[in-house]
Amino acid sequence: MVKLIEQDVRETSDYLEKPLLDTRIMKVLSEVPRHEFVPIEIRNQAYQNRPLPIGYGQTISQPYIVAIMTDLIGPKAEHKALEIGTGSGYQAAVLSLLVDKVFSMEIVEPLGKQAQKRLIRLGYQNIETTIADGYHGWESNAPFDIIIVTAAASHIPPPLITQLKPGGKMIIPVGSRFMTQQLLLVEKNPEEKVTVRQILPVRFVPLTGEH
Ligand code: SAH
């Protein structure tokens, strides 16, 4: 799987502005057991470089996408991270090995509960999950060094910008739910000025909820 990710990274290096991802991230991707995060019937496909269905119309993201999103937000050991869209819990598990603490939010209750149980069973101890609409962020634990949104939004949710630390980064797919979206890297500089860089076209399940 790691070889397939590296190949995709090389092919998209113009977008990513580098030919290789951080070696720490590639190491973590080779360690997290992706087969534990997919339904038992399709475990044999777990190490293919593609998204897979996880029930409730949702998917576990393609490993290449998990890799580049994790790389682009530059996780550090002392960071506090927020993920919107727990899904299977795979992205949260990857991130948890690179930062101090991960908070992950899921709107589909059975998925969120299942992911929480799985993460506990697999021994990930620095991940806290909740069932809620991530559009509003998780105010009681804010601000965050890192925010990673794994569902496509029509716009960047303002509460997430508010909950980003000065010097923090957010990665989020933005665009129409029926077409490809753009992966955006949002940075808030120490003076709280926000800049947005467009990375590459992607396709995610939509960010749902009443917001
Ligand atoms: N990060 C996941 C990928 C999940 S797909 C993984 O590693 O497996 C996107 C997830 O976002 C879905 O589970 C979907 O139910 C969830 N989602 C959609 N809208 C949401 C919202 N408003 N708040 C929280 N989660 C949401």
Side-chain angles (χ1 to χ4, degrees), residues 37 54 56 58-61 66 83-92 105-108 111 132-135 150-151 204-209 211:
F37 294 83
I54 55 170
Y56 305 92
Q58 307 303 327
T59 54
I60 177 172
S61 305
V66 174
E83 179 195 27
I84 312 302
T86 315
S88 67
Y90 179 72
Q91 171 75 72
M105 310 180 72
E106 171 59 55
I107 203 165
V108 177
L111 269 182
D133 184 347
Y135 181 93
T150 67
F204 275 81
V205 295
L207 189 76
T208 58
H211 53 262

Side-chain angles (χ1 to χ4, degrees), residues 86 88 111-121 129:
T86 315
S88 67
L111 269 182
K113 292 221 158 118
Q114 196 180 47
Q116 184 189 26
K117 274 202 211 135
R118 172 181 291 137
L119 290 165
I120 291 170
R121 175 170 59 79
T129 59

